[in-house]
Amino acid sequence: VFDVGIVGASGFGGTELLRLLARHPSARVVVRAAASQAERRVGELAPNIPAELGDARFEAVDLDALARTDLVFLGTPDEVSLELAPGLLAAGVRVVDLSGAFRLPADEFDRWYRRPHMAPGLALDGATPAVYGLTEFNREAIVTARLIANPGCYPTATLLGLLPLQELIVPEGIVVSGLSGTSGAGRSTREDLQAAIVHGDVVAYGAPLHRHTAEIERQLAGGAEGRPIAISFTPHLLPMSRGLLATISAQLLPGVGQAEVDAALVAAYSHEPFVHVLPAGTFPRTKAVHGSNACQVSAVVDPRTQRVLITSAIDNLGKGAAGQALQNANLMLGLEETAGLDAIGVYP
Ligand SMILES: NC(=O)c1ccc[n+]([C@@H]2O[C@H](COP(=O)([O-])OP(=O)(O)OC[C@H]3O[C@@H](n4cnc5c(N)ncnc54)[C@H](OP(=O)(O)O)[C@@H]3O)[C@@H](O)[C@H]2O)c1
């Protein structure tokens, strides 16, 4: 049994990791580190965690205790991950970082996050770079990685929809609309996330320079023979707790139709345990993946405009954060990739 630590265990990503790891066959949580919530009982912030584990308390960050683990999940803000990751790696611990700290080359991080990268050697273009943890497209590198940059929630849904179809679409004019529940913003007390404000309302935010735009473009550019790809991305906040839907509209190359699109999705995902392709004309829904590590994808061609509409649904805390982090950790530890991740979504 592997010993794992979580820093940011009191956050939404952290408590989701506690839930998934509570039933993991070969990993156990031995460190639950937090900041302002240190000393509180786990069960107070995560009442879903069974009592035998919920009675444990969050603790302040103790680097020595973390250094004794096999792997640490960082469910922390970017700047905290930038501070902690180098020391943990130096102590020989594998790290899966849920933040945006290591998902871009250092100069792009500087531009999109508007501050200098504090550990450029670990950025995507660094001397010992992090491995981008979109599992389905990067498995080989993840198995031997020491540091995983776990993808953002919008990039996960968008890339799982777009990457298989890259060679079939025109690289310009891609429009992505993202819709997310409020847990995507973390356990925050922000005024604009209060129930009274959010309920009964839908609003766009962050466009046109949301940070996930850079992350998505970077991964698309790597895959399509280095063609630069610009996307137009608009996230929206929805009055629900969990769930994330991406709808993506892209121009198809001349002559490409539904058959080619279907074939590309089947080729990419027919052997994948977590990505489920729905037939064209049926649409993924967030509830069906709620609480799971699944992603539902479908793509329908509009011959009138020669565009393809791809939709992709994930649980932002599942495949969009903690689920995918555990999927990657399983690979890094030489375990079954699906261990601890066998829950299916709920309905209705
Ligand atoms: N929520 C999502 O859907 C989602 C999806 C993908 C990626 N992410 C990323 O995952 C990370 C965590 O997100 P979240 O939603 O879980 O955020 P969150 O609910 O706000 O939790 C943040 C966590 O970080 C801890 N923390 C803050 N400063 C710290 C410090 N100096 N030392 C140790 N711990 C510290 C907090 O501890 P206290 O609460 O004890 O202060 C809390 O446990 C973020 O980088 C986020 O961008 C989130």
Side-chain angles (χ1 to χ4, degrees):
V1 172
F2 290 99
D3 287 344
V4 304
I6 304 172
V7 186
S10 55
F12 282 168
T15 52
E16 184 70 352
L17 278 165
L18 288 172
R19 179 177 80 89
L20 297 172
L21 286 158
R23 293 282 181 265
H24 197 288
S26 27
R28 59 174 182 180
V29 181
V30 295
V31 180
R32 303 158 195 83
S36 62
Q37 306 301 320
E39 305 306 332
R40 283 187 76 179
R41 269 186 59 246
V42 168
E44 283 178 54
L45 293 181
N48 55 333
I49 302 298
E52 73 272 16
L53 301 169
D55 283 338
R57 287 183 186 272
F58 297 110
E59 56 201 277
V61 176
D62 171 354
L63 289 176
D64 292 334
L66 291 167
R68 286 192 294 272
T69 65
D70 297 296
L71 183 143
V72 168
F73 295 97
L74 295 176
T76 39
D78 313 312
E79 61 276 15
V80 179
S81 294
L82 282 165
E83 202 180 298
L84 292 177
L88 292 170
L89 292 167
V93 178
R94 298 173 186 85
V95 176
V96 178
D97 178 38
L98 278 69
S99 85
F102 305 106
R103 297 180 196 149
L104 293 173
D107 62 332
E108 272 185 63
F109 179 95
D110 296 356
R111 274 204 308 283
W112 287 82
Y113 286 71
R114 293 168 192 273
R115 59 193 140 84
H117 199 288
M118 301 310 287
L122 300 175
L124 276 198
D125 61 341
T128 50
V131 170
Y132 191 71
L134 189 66
T135 327
E136 286 70 16
F137 290 89
N138 228 357
R139 225 169 238 125
E140 211 174 313
I142 291 166
V143 169
T144 54
R146 305 301 301 183
L147 170 63
I148 293 289
N150 211 58
C153 46
Y154 289 119
T156 295
T158 304
L159 291 166
L160 288 175
L162 260 179
L163 280 173
L165 304 182
Q166 288 200 96
E167 306 299 333
L168 306 180
I169 61 176
V170 179
E172 292 85 32
I174 302 170
V175 179
V176 180
S177 189
L179 306 118
S180 173
T182 61
S183 66
R187 184 192 298 281
S188 154
T189 51
R190 267 167 43 191
E191 199 171 314
D192 60 335
L193 296 176
Q194 289 175 12
I197 307 285
V198 170
H199 282 186
D201 197 24
V202 176
V203 63
Y205 66 96
L209 293 178
H210 191 281
R211 292 159 176 177
H212 286 173
T213 308
E215 191 183 325
I216 295 166
E217 288 178 351
R218 157 85 9 208
Q219 295 304 317
L220 290 172
E225 296 157 5
R227 294 180 302 177
I229 288 190
I231 61 157
S232 173
F233 169 58
T234 308
H236 301 77
L237 185 67
L238 263 68
M240 58 186 193
S241 170
R242 290 170 180 239
L244 188 154
L245 185 78
T247 66
I248 305 153
S249 172
Q251 189 74 42
L252 287 167
L253 293 170
V256 174
Q258 188 70 50
E260 289 77 14
V261 166
D262 289 345
L265 284 180
V266 168
Y269 297 131
S270 57
H271 299 294
E272 288 298 340
F274 296 117
V275 186
H276 309 301
V277 179
L278 307 187
T282 54
F283 296 97
R285 47 205 325 150
T286 58
K287 193 177 265 188
V289 296
H290 188 108
S292 80
N293 193 46
C295 173
Q296 289 191 338
V297 187
S298 84
V300 63
V301 173
D302 176 1
R304 214 174 46 84
T305 56
Q306 185 58 6
R307 292 184 76 89
V308 60
L309 174 71
I310 309 157
T311 64
S312 167
I314 58 171
D315 184 326
N316 55 292
L317 293 176
K319 184 66 174 162
Q324 182 151 250
L326 181 54
Q327 188 181 355
N328 289 327
N330 284 337
L331 287 174
M332 294 164 90
L333 295 172
L335 301 171
E336 210 42 66
E337 184 176 327
T338 54
L341 294 169
D342 52 1
I344 58 172
V346 303
Y347 205 80

